[in-house]
Amino acid sequence: MALSVPKAPGISQMLKEGARMYTGLEEAVYRNIDACKEFAHTMRSAYGPNGMNKMIINHIEKQFVTSDAGTIMRELDVEHPAARLMVMASEMQDAEVGDGTNFVVIFAGALLEKAEELLRLGITTGEIADGYEKALAKALEILPKLICYEIQDYSNVEKVKECLKASIMSKQYGQEDFLTDLVAKACVAILPDNGTFNVDNIRVCKIVGCGLTKSEVVHGMVFKRFVEGDVTFAEKAKIAVFSCPLDVIQTETKGTVLIKSADELLNFSAGEENLLEAQIKAIADTGVKVVVAGGKVGDMALHFLNKYGLVAVRLNSKFDIRRLSRAVNATVLPRITTPTQEELGYCDKVCIEEMGDTNIVAFRNEGKDSRISTIVVRGATDNYLDDIERSIDDGVNNFKGLSRDGRYLPGAGATEIELATQISAYADTLPGLEQYAVRRFAAALEVLPKALAENSGLNGTEVVNLLYLTHKEASGKNIGVNIEAGKPETMDVTEGGDGKPKIYDLYHCKLWSLKYAVEAANTILKVEQIIRAKRAGGPKPPQAAGSDDEL
């Protein structure tokens, strides 16, 4: 007979056997801070143009080689609850702006690292969180005063390229001029006269082979497939788009046909053929030259499509069908019917092209009414192409940001050091214990320019000291890290010249990065207890020899 031993009073008696609970500073707060610090240090080496790549092999054995923080965190599948909060903040930054994910993690980690020092001095988590909130409010007040550039004409490709270059450079250093040109041309080509810019209207088609410099922008859509029939070219074409297969129509209800002779069988088959031919002939009579199907194209339908000289393209993805209908301004039809003129789309050229050993179908719209642009990317390996796609995605999201708010801040760590300088001065005016947290907030901002310098092989401490010296001058607020110098050196990021690009950070991106990082850090600091309940039906906790269950 088993002996029942009562549990100790408290929360543990309410939970199942095997549940774990950590409480207080030592067990909960420091444990969380340590996990977040380690995570932030891991991401710090991937920050900036010279950031190192990480090789990630996810749970399905797919390999990623990238320095993009969003991809790294998504594929790592972080389990620690506190580190997971940082990942969630970074994901929100990705959803809101599409860039600056690494900034959120590194800055939140730095805030927690500085908070640990204050906790060991005896300052409470509440006072630290209040200080961080005050420092954030002051930072958001200072930020609009640091704006150094504003773009007014979003359709000017050269101006757009200046603004996008820093974002793309942070992922593909050395290829930024070529990639920025591609992204700027693709985005400006489909910029609506009114309404918001849609990121989904910029597509990327990756084709292995050749080199990156052979990449191009196609005004329209490109699919890696071949046409279904013999007709492979159509110019100034009207397009009919169907979401259903092109085949003999199946009846909606089950029926039985009783055939008594061979003649009746022949007549039945001929009736089906005649009906299908009449349908395709009616489509061709409306002036259609291209038919797009959302399912298989039957052999009989293919015969009649070839007979009437129609190009047949099959797309398996319903999302591709929707995008194509948007690109050619067509209405997607759910069944094979004769489309009206209003339901038809138009494309300047539909043709088969060959890139390397890959066949593609290109829907090209060279006119001003092009609604979708496709960047055809070439490269040596799939991993390389994936990384190029991620940098293009960052560039496109930055264009979306500047189309909402075209204000820019100085990059290369200039904004962070200027904020740190002014927030340190602000801390001296505060009377309470929050001043210590505000000062630590300013110190945490140093981590970002320091990471830029260290990843470029420079002495981070020397570079930060140089930046502080220049930012104490009235005209020094635009001075950032010169990562191309072989020694600790600074530069005015708004001037460029001598082969140096102008480095701008999107105001909208920096604003949300600071907000999400501080919110994540404060949430983690305010956690006093960690309670891990035991799952029902999960593995039993290991039992020591001579435990109560053996009695």
Side-chain angles (χ1 to χ4, degrees), residues 34 36 58 66 91 118 126 157 170 220 279 283 293 380-381 385 389 404 413 442 511 534:
D34 284 342
C36 295
N58 68 4
T66 181
E91 286 171 351
L118 294 176
V157 175
S170 68
Q279 288 173 329
I283 292 169
T381 64
L385 289 175
E389 182 183 14
R404 288 177 175 179
L511 177 82
K534 185 181 182 305

Side-chain angles (χ1 to χ4, degrees), residues 2-222:
L3 176 65
S4 176
V5 178
K7 295 179 183 177
I11 197 167
S12 59
Q13 70 179 347
M14 296 185 285
L15 304 175
K16 288 186 178 180
E17 191 73 37
R20 286 173 290 169
M21 187 178 79
Y22 306 101
T23 185
L25 283 177
E26 290 295 336
E27 285 191 340
V29 181
Y30 290 146
R31 195 183 276 252
N32 285 343
I33 289 174
D34 284 342
C36 295
K37 273 164 51 181
E38 288 299 322
F39 186 58
H41 278 292
T42 303
M43 304 305 298
R44 195 180 297 180
S45 60
Y47 184 64
N50 290 318
M52 300 296 286
N53 284 343
K54 311 283 185 189
M55 184 180 285
I56 311 294
I57 299 159
N58 68 4
H59 63 287
I60 57 170
E61 298 298 316
K62 186 176 179 185
Q63 180 177 299
F64 296 83
V65 181
T66 181
S67 62
D68 180 53
T71 305
I72 294 168
M73 287 183 284
R74 189 164 53 249
E75 299 305 328
L76 276 179
D77 197 16
V78 177
E79 279 195 3
H80 193 282
R84 185 75 198 139
L85 287 171
M86 289 170 68
V87 173
M88 288 165 67
S90 186
E91 286 171 351
M92 284 306 301
Q93 171 72 10
D94 196 27
E96 182 69 39
V97 184
D99 197 8
T101 49
N102 209 351
F103 182 103
V104 174
V105 173
I106 293 171
F107 186 46
L111 288 172
L112 290 169
E113 197 171 337
K114 300 300 179 186
E116 185 179 11
E117 298 169 9
L118 294 176
L119 286 170
R120 296 195 186 278
L121 290 174
I123 298 174
T124 64
T125 53
E127 287 162 344
I128 295 170
D130 288 345
Y132 282 173
E133 290 289 351
K134 281 189 177 181
L136 174 64
K138 185 65 178 175
L140 298 183
E141 182 188 317
I142 297 167
L143 217 53
K145 300 171 186 174
L146 304 183
I147 290 167
C148 62
Y149 183 74
E150 186 169 359
I151 183 168
Q152 303 287 348
D153 185 7
Y154 308 140
S155 59
N156 187 326
V157 175
E158 292 304 316
K159 294 285 186 186
V160 169
K161 279 165 65 176
E162 270 187 7
C163 297
L164 298 185
K165 189 171 287 186
S167 169
I168 292 174
M169 188 194 295
S170 68
K171 297 289 185 300
Q172 291 295 326
Y173 188 40
Q175 305 286 358
E176 66 273 6
D177 290 323
F178 180 72
L179 286 173
T180 304
D181 188 52
L182 287 180
V183 173
K185 284 178 180 175
C187 292
V188 169
I190 61 161
L191 184 65
D193 294 330
N194 48 25
T196 57
F197 174 81
N198 188 357
V199 173
D200 195 53
N201 287 347
I202 303 291
R203 310 305 305 160
V204 177
C205 180
K206 299 172 287 188
I207 298 176
V208 177
C210 209
L212 181 63
T213 52
K214 294 296 181 183
S215 304
E216 61 173 310
V217 176
V218 174
H219 299 306
M221 290 201 73
V222 172

Side-chain angles (χ1 to χ4, degrees), residues 133-368:
E133 290 289 351
K134 281 189 177 181
L136 174 64
K138 185 65 178 175
L140 298 183
E141 182 188 317
I142 297 167
L143 217 53
K145 300 171 186 174
L146 304 183
I147 290 167
C148 62
Y149 183 74
E150 186 169 359
I151 183 168
Q152 303 287 348
D153 185 7
Y154 308 140
S155 59
N156 187 326
V157 175
E158 292 304 316
K159 294 285 186 186
V160 169
K161 279 165 65 176
E162 270 187 7
C163 297
L164 298 185
K165 189 171 287 186
S167 169
I168 292 174
M169 188 194 295
S170 68
K171 297 289 185 300
Q172 291 295 326
Y173 188 40
Q175 305 286 358
E176 66 273 6
D177 290 323
F178 180 72
L179 286 173
T180 304
D181 188 52
L182 287 180
V183 173
K185 284 178 180 175
C187 292
V188 169
I190 61 161
L191 184 65
D193 294 330
N194 48 25
T196 57
F197 174 81
N198 188 357
V199 173
D200 195 53
N201 287 347
I202 303 291
R203 310 305 305 160
V204 177
C205 180
K206 299 172 287 188
I207 298 176
V208 177
C210 209
L212 181 63
T213 52
K214 294 296 181 183
S215 304
E216 61 173 310
V217 176
V218 174
H219 299 306
M221 290 201 73
V222 172
F223 301 99
K224 285 197 289 185
R225 57 189 314 109
F226 203 75
V227 294
E228 297 293 309
D230 298 333
V231 186
T232 59
F233 181 82
E235 203 167 12
K236 295 183 179 176
K238 289 182 179 179
I239 301 174
V241 182
F242 298 98
S243 60
C244 60
L246 279 178
D247 206 351
V248 175
I249 297 174
Q250 300 291 327
T251 56
E252 291 182 4
T253 57
K254 290 183 179 180
T256 303
V257 178
L258 183 64
I259 294 173
K260 296 180 179 178
S261 65
D263 290 337
E264 287 182 4
L265 179 61
L266 289 171
N267 292 335
F268 181 78
S269 299
E272 279 189 329
E273 290 172 19
N274 292 337
L275 176 62
L276 187 60
E277 182 177 9
Q279 288 173 329
I280 291 174
K281 184 177 184 302
I283 292 169
D285 288 343
T286 59
V288 170
K289 292 184 180 179
V290 180
V291 176
V292 178
K296 72 169 187 173
V297 180
D299 292 338
M300 188 61 65
L302 202 56
H303 166 72
F304 292 125
L305 288 167
N306 290 334
K307 179 179 176 181
Y308 291 105
L310 301 181
V311 179
V313 180
R314 175 185 174 184
L315 298 177
N316 294 325
S317 167
K318 64 181 180 181
F319 300 105
D320 281 344
I321 288 175
R322 288 175 191 169
R323 291 183 188 110
L324 179 63
S325 66
R326 197 161 66 233
V328 300
N329 196 22
T331 302
V332 181
L333 302 173
R335 57 193 300 271
I336 305 172
T337 54
T338 306
T340 63
Q341 292 300 317
E342 291 77 18
E343 291 169 335
L344 294 177
Y346 173 81
C347 192
D348 290 331
K349 188 191 291 184
V350 179
C351 58
I352 290 293
E353 297 176 14
E354 192 171 323
M355 291 193 173
D357 59 350
T358 306
N359 291 311
I360 63 167
V361 180
F363 289 78
R364 293 179 179 270
N365 252 336
E366 304 299 339
K368 291 182 179 179

